[in-house]
Every structure is written in structure tokens, then in C-alpha cells.
């Protein structure tokens, strides 16, 4: 019988409280939260004050704790906590996608050097066990592509605006009230959050380490009634999809609003649900579906990591070990719908192969081809007069 693992927790927000709840409702897991480090002294909290500390070293220097669970908001502080804990020989669980994406290679190296394990299933697609499946089930040669709805907030907004006629700002407010959105919702709506998740998936799918700033992301913040009408009239839905695949011995990846028809599995993914579709050489397409945001669904993935640590599970980073790292490239083109403010903008984007052009006094758009390199350089998220969606 394994001994009961003692957990030191950083952060007691939506996911931290969710974890406390689910851990206390689950009899089968041999672990208990014994100390919780939080920032704000005066916040009312639903459990005994004895649990709390405001001093991180009360956890990091406490030799009686076996596992550190990091569930705070600030990515820089999170990296400090996680790297220190690993170096002190503790097993660590984190859900901080921004921190992990920004430091993945460093964290990989620290794990190799120290032998301490870091698990982060909850950082990608909430409750869907995608990282462990990529690590354990799929041998490298089998995988050709991965597509995912990896952000619950934007999928919630897209569902509520297209199906229930809610306004964008009301739908965002609801997503915030339900605890789905980041504390800075720009990370959700401008697709930084799903990009961080794609970044992590790139490592576990193809063994690639890439900096987030090298990956193109564009969100749904500029979605207009004209864009929704365009999609509806063509029988399509707009979904924010992260994509990666192999193309000529290179790996490509981006996050972009994507027009999907009702044959596409993502068409039916609604509200805060997430989904991942893998394209594999022999098994063809496989689809994972589950809640991608919210306290309990995310905490269930943290809990599963704690449980895996009880059995000394660790990521082996098999794809990295097998492949070395494949080159990541943005040198390829996408078919896109572009609602644009003026011809100069189309020139700036170097749009080619224009197959449709539409203009009225309300909107103007083209359907053509654009290189991902150009999209990345054009800082689309800084503009409010453009909408771009991938058109298959
Ligand atoms: N803000 C994130 C989302 C939370 O909406 O998906 C889960 O990572």
C-alpha cells in the first residue's frame, strides 16, 4: 500500500477550490491537501484558515510535502514556484498553460536533470485526457495531424451568439461569471490561450519545442454580424480551431477561426466543451470530447495527475526522444475568408488566388489564399476592422 501523499497547493481560485472539493469527494485517491498558499490575506474563504499560508516557502521548504500543485494565475510567479519545487525534488502538477508553453523546453530539461516529474494534463482542454493519450498510446509515426477546439470561453461565446442571439459582450460576461474565462479575457478571445495549449500539444504530438511568439493566433474579438451571416448563409459555423500537422518533414501549426460544415465533428461542439481530433496513419480520425473549462472539470484532470503520481507516472517525452526536434514552419498557405477595410490591406496580406469577391455598403470580403508567415507578421489581433477565417 502506498503511503498517503501530502499535497501543498498554490492558488485557491476556481480550479483550486474545485480540486479541494473533488479530492475530498473522492475516496479512492491516496492524497490530501495539507497547506494552501494564497496571495490575498483578507479574502473570505470557505475552509478553515489553518490551511492557508501567504509565504511560498512554507510549502517549498516543507520536506513533509510530496506533491506541489500550482494553480495560480501569474505565469512568471508560477514558473518560479514550479522550477523551484522540481529542483527541491518534489513532484509537481500545474494547470498553467501560459507558463508551461513559454518554458516547456526548460521544464523538460529541469525534469531530466532533477528526475522530478511535472504533470500538466489540466493545462490543455480541461477534462480531456489528451496529453497522456498522446504520450502513451500514439507512437510517433502514426500521427499526421491534430485539430482542437481548445478554449471553452470562445466556444461558449460562439455558441451563444450564433444559436441564442446573445450579444458578444453578454456571452463573454456569462463565460466570466461561470469561471471559464481567464482573468484577462483578451487571452481567450484573441486566441492566446488556445495557442499556449497548441504549443504544449506540439511537443507531445510531434516532439516540437517552439516559442509561442512563432505561432500564428487570431481570435474572435472582431467577429461581426456580417461574418456570422456569411457563415449561416453557407450552412457553416465558425469555430476557433488550433491545428498542427506534418507537411514535407516540417511541422506546421496555428490557431484561427475556421468555417466548418455539419459533416465536421467540431460543428456539434457547443458551449464550454472542447474537442480534439487526431489524424492517424492507420486508424484514420479519432475524436476526444469533454468539458474544457470550469472548476470541477479542470480539477478532475489535476486529480488524475495527482493519482498518476501516486503510481510514479511521469511523461517520457517519447516524441522528443525519438525525433530530436522537427523544424517548425510557417511557410505555407491557407484558404481564407477575409473581411477587409480597404484594398491596401489585401495588398499588405499578399492575398493570392482570389476566387470570390463580395462588396456591399455593409461589408466587403474576399476568399483567397494567404501565407501563415504573412498572417503572423501582420499582427491581426491589434486591428479591429478585419476578420479572417480559414475556409477549407
Ligand atoms: N480560459 C480557459 C478556457 C480556461 O476558456 O478554455 C481553461 O483552460
Amino acid at each position: 500500500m502506498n503511503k498517503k501523499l501530502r499535497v501543498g497547493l498554490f492558488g485557491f481560485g476556481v480550479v483550486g477550490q474545485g480540486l479541494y472539493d473533488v479530492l475530498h469527494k473522492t475516496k479512492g485517491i491516496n492524497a490530501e491537501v495539507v497547506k494552501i498558499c494564497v496571495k490575498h490575506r483578507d479574502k473570505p474563504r470557505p475552509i478553515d484558515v489553518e490551511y492557508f499560508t501567504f509565504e511560498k516557502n512554507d510549502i517549498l521548504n516543507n520536506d513533509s510535502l510530496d506533491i506541489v500543485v500550482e494553480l495560480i494565475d501569474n505565469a512568471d510567479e508560477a514558473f518560479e514556484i514550479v522550477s523551484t519545487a522540481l529542483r527541491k525534488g518534489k513532484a509537481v502538477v500545474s494547470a498553467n498553460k501560459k507558463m508551461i508553453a513559454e518554458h516547456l523546453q526548460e521544464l523538460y530539461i529541469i525534469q531530466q536533470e532533477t528526475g522530478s516529474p511535472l504533470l500538466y494534463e489540466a493545462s490543455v482542454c480541461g477534462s480531456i485526457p489528451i496529453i497522456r493519450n498522446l504520450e502513451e498510446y500514439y507512437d510517433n509515426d502514426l500521427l499526421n495531424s491534430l485539430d482542437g477546439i481548445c478554449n471553452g470561453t470562445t466556444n461558449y461565446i460562439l455558441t451563444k451568439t450564433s444559436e441564442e442571439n446573445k450579444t458578444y459582450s453578454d456571452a463573454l460576461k456569462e463565460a466570466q461569471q461561470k469561471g471559464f474565462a481567464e482573468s484577462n479575457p483578451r487571452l481567450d478571445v484573441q486566441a492566446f490561450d488556445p495557442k499556449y495549449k497548441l504549443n504544449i500539444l506540439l511537443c507531445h504530438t510531434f516532439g516540437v519545442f517552439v516559442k509561442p511568439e512563432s505561432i500564428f493566433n487570431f481570435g474572435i474579438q472582431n467577429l461581426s454580424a456580417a461574418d456570422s451571416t456569411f457563415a449561416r448563409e453557407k450552412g457553416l459555423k465558425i469555430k476557433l480551431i488550433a491545428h498542427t500537422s506534418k507537411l514535407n518533414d516540417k511541422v506546421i501549426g496555428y490557431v484561427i477561426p475556421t468555417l466548418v460544415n455539419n459533416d465536421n465533428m467540431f460543428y456539434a461542439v457547443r458551449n464550454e466543451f472542447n474537442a480534439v481530433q487526431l489524424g492517424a496513419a492507420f486508424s484514420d480520425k479519432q475524436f476526444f470530447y469533454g468539458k474544457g473549462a470550469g472548476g470541477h472539470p479542470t480539477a478532475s484532470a489535476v486529480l488524475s495527475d495527482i493519482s498518476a503520481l501516486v503510481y510514479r507516472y511521469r511523461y517520457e517525452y517519447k516524441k522528443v526522444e525519438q525525433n530530436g526536434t522537427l523544424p517548425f514552419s510557417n511557410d505555407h498557405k491557407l484558404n481564407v475568408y477575409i473581411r477587409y477595410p480597404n484594398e491596401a490591406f489585401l495588398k499588405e496580406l499578399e492575398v493570392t488566388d482570389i476566387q470570390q469577391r463580395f462588396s456591399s455598403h455593409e461589408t466587403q470580403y474576399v476568399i483567397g489564399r494567404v501565407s501563415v508567415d504573412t498572417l503572423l507578421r501582420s499582427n491581426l489581433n491589434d486591428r479591429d476592422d478585419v476578420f479572417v477565417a480559414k475556409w477549407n
Side-chain angles (χ1 to χ4, degrees):
M1 171 86 183
N2 289 314
K3 70 164 185 137
K4 192 161 203 161
L5 293 185
R6 292 163 57 82
V7 175
L9 172 62
F10 283 88
F12 202 60
V14 174
V15 184
Q17 292 190 34
L19 176 66
Y20 184 85
D21 274 2
V22 293
L23 196 52
H24 284 81
K25 283 185 189 140
T26 314
K27 299 266 177 297
I29 291 187
N30 216 5
E32 62 176 333
V33 173
V34 291
K35 220 24 152 196
I36 307 172
C37 181
V38 290
K39 204 173 202 164
H40 302 291
R41 286 172 189 267
D42 304 328
K43 238 189 203 172
R45 298 199 163 84
I47 59 170
D48 196 336
V49 290
E50 288 297 303
Y51 276 105
F52 294 98
T53 175
F54 308 100
E55 171 47 58
K56 66 180 177 188
N57 287 328
D58 285 352
I59 290 179
L60 294 174
N61 291 340
N62 184 338
D63 291 335
S64 79
L65 298 177
D66 309 286
I67 299 179
V68 168
V69 175
E70 179 281 305
L71 301 173
I72 67 170
D73 202 34
N74 182 301
D76 297 331
E77 288 173 16
F79 179 64
E80 195 49 44
I81 289 164
V82 167
S83 54
T84 307
L86 290 170
R87 291 209 162 93
K88 285 182 184 286
K90 297 199 186 303
V92 181
V93 176
S94 171
N96 199 314
K97 49 260 160 145
K98 181 170 194 282
M99 180 278 287
I100 296 162
E102 283 172 346
H103 296 281
L104 192 48
Q105 193 157 17
E106 260 170 290
L107 291 167
Y108 165 72
I109 292 167
I110 296 173
Q111 289 177 80
Q112 306 295 307
E113 285 172 357
T114 60
S116 312
L118 167 65
L119 301 182
Y120 40 82
E121 188 67 74
S123 68
V124 178
C125 295
S127 65
I128 303 177
I130 187 64
I131 298 178
R132 232 182 290 165
N133 270 290
L134 289 168
E135 275 288 298
E136 299 308 314
Y137 186 80
Y138 294 94
D139 191 70
N140 191 40
D141 288 342
L142 293 177
L143 287 173
N144 297 327
S145 67
L146 176 151
D147 290 272
I149 292 179
C150 301
N151 182 267
T153 301
T154 45
N155 203 50
Y156 187 87
I157 296 172
L158 290 169
T159 307
K160 296 294 177 196
T161 52
S162 70
E163 293 180 15
E164 294 175 26
N165 268 331
K166 294 218 159 124
T167 63
Y168 174 95
S169 64
D170 284 350
L172 172 58
K173 244 180 250 151
E174 272 180 32
Q176 288 175 301
Q177 280 157 4
K178 287 174 184 276
F180 304 152
E182 298 302 297
S183 49
N184 175 1
R186 192 181 67 90
L187 295 174
D188 297 295
V189 298
Q190 297 189 354
F192 285 92
D193 175 85
K195 170 166 81 171
Y196 298 138
K197 293 164 178 167
L198 175 65
N199 206 301
I200 297 167
L201 290 170
L202 274 161
C203 171
H204 294 280
T205 309
F206 295 128
V208 171
F209 290 114
V210 52
K211 286 280 170 201
E213 54 272 22
S214 306
I215 302 176
F216 169 66
N217 61 297
F218 179 57
I220 61 161
Q221 71 279 15
N222 297 349
L223 182 74
S224 73
D227 307 318
S228 303
T229 304
F230 170 85
R232 198 168 37 246
E233 283 177 354
K234 301 239 176 322
L236 304 170
K237 277 191 187 172
I238 297 168
K239 292 288 177 188
L240 185 61
I241 293 183
H243 170 85
T244 176
S245 54
K246 276 192 191 157
L247 186 72
N248 307 328
D249 292 329
K250 294 197 175 117
V251 172
I252 62 170
Y254 47 81
V255 186
I256 188 169
T258 303
L259 291 150
V260 298
N261 65 25
N262 67 359
D263 289 341
N264 188 310
M265 297 285 280
F266 290 118
Y267 191 92
V269 178
R270 300 172 66 250
N271 297 323
E272 76 273 28
F273 278 84
N274 281 190
V276 177
Q277 180 169 275
L278 298 176
F282 304 117
S283 48
D284 207 338
K285 287 180 183 160
Q286 288 174 319
F287 198 73
F288 298 75
Y289 173 81
K291 285 200 169 168
H296 284 178
T298 311
S300 78
V302 175
L303 191 65
S304 178
D305 277 351
I306 294 174
S307 157
L309 287 172
V310 173
Y311 298 99
R312 300 183 195 288
Y313 177 73
R314 57 191 304 125
Y315 300 142
E316 288 174 54
Y317 294 90
K318 292 197 191 87
K319 316 290 164 51
V320 178
E321 304 287 320
Q322 286 163 4
N323 272 1
T325 61
L326 285 170
F328 181 80
S329 170
N330 286 316
D331 182 16
H332 62 101
K333 287 190 165 185
L334 302 179
N335 289 332
V336 284
Y337 157 94
I338 307 173
R339 175 171 52 76
Y340 62 100
N342 50 46
E343 292 299 316
F345 179 74
L346 288 187
K347 278 226 175 73
E348 192 187 314
L349 272 197
E350 297 164 14
V351 184
T352 61
D353 308 278
I354 293 180
Q355 24 165 310
Q356 271 188 51
R357 216 178 235 283
F358 178 84
S359 158
S360 72
H361 56 277
E362 274 150 12
T363 185
Q364 53 183 358
Y365 67 79
V366 294
I367 291 169
R369 285 173 73 70
V370 182
S371 104
V372 175
D373 237 344
T374 315
L375 287 169
L376 180 67
R377 277 186 278 110
S378 62
N379 298 322
L380 288 186
N381 276 319
D382 295 343
R383 308 186 60 123
D384 62 6
D385 53 358
V386 172
F387 188 70
V388 177
K390 187 173 153 198
W391 168 271
N392 284 309

